[in-house]
Amino acid sequence: MRLVQEIMTKNPACATPEMSLVEVAQLMRKFDCGEIPVVYSLSDKKMLGVITDRDICNRAVALGLNPLSMNAEECMSYPAISVKKTTTIEDCCQIMQDNQIRRLPVLDEKENCCGIVSLSDIARFSEDYLAAEVVKNISQPSVNKSSIYISYNI
């Protein structure tokens, strides 16, 4: 069985809670991604949450707030759903499906953010049927879910 650490993007760009939304959006653009882990500091990568392009849209722009004057902490989802780097790809897919999410931060043995695994990683490195099944199940309509924390220690 393959593990998440084999397919994840290693050492992802991270934000700190006080980082402006402009800086977060610039990181998303620079690294061509839609989710940035939010960590205590760039030297202490313990996860606080994640911020997505959707978070910025729904928690700032759509509410008529000024995203130019907001920081990551004001829009992030916390605590975040994450997996360990030793989680199997199959278990990771199940977690994505259960929570209808496309990206998961990956934590090392010290609970530091060491990577991100995305649906595109699964599509590139896994069996075609697995990626198709995950996409199908993630794409189902869902009710509005609040931010929850689940850390899977599989």
Side-chain angles (χ1 to χ4, degrees), residues 45-154:
K45 295 206 173 181
K46 296 260 189 288
M47 287 267 308
L48 288 171
V50 296
I51 187 163
T52 66
D53 46 7
R54 184 179 174 103
D55 290 335
I56 294 169
C57 182
N58 288 336
R59 294 181 181 154
V61 178
L63 297 176
L65 302 174
N66 182 359
L68 299 176
S69 66
M70 297 176 73
N71 62 32
E73 186 173 34
E74 294 174 277
C75 284
M76 71 181 186
S77 296
Y78 64 91
I81 298 169
S82 61
V83 293
K84 299 283 190 181
K85 66 181 185 176
T86 54
T87 302
T88 66
I89 294 171
E90 290 78 10
D91 287 340
C92 178
C93 289
Q94 189 61 54
I95 293 164
M96 288 175 151
Q97 290 175 84
D98 291 347
N99 294 283
Q100 290 188 300
I101 53 179
R102 290 169 165 71
R103 308 168 200 94
L104 284 170
V106 181
L107 306 180
D108 65 18
E109 56 282 341
K110 294 181 180 178
E111 301 291 314
N112 291 313
C113 182
C114 64
I116 288 193
V117 64
S118 69
L119 190 53
S120 63
D121 295 324
I122 291 166
R124 284 195 321 263
F125 299 108
S126 298
E127 301 296 327
D128 289 341
Y129 74 89
L130 185 59
E133 189 66 23
V134 175
V135 169
K136 176 183 168 190
N137 291 324
I138 287 175
S139 300
Q140 297 298 318
S142 67
V143 294
N144 187 10
K145 296 179 183 178
S146 61
S147 299
I148 57 171
Y149 174 73
I150 304 173
S151 181
Y152 290 89
N153 295 311
I154 300 173

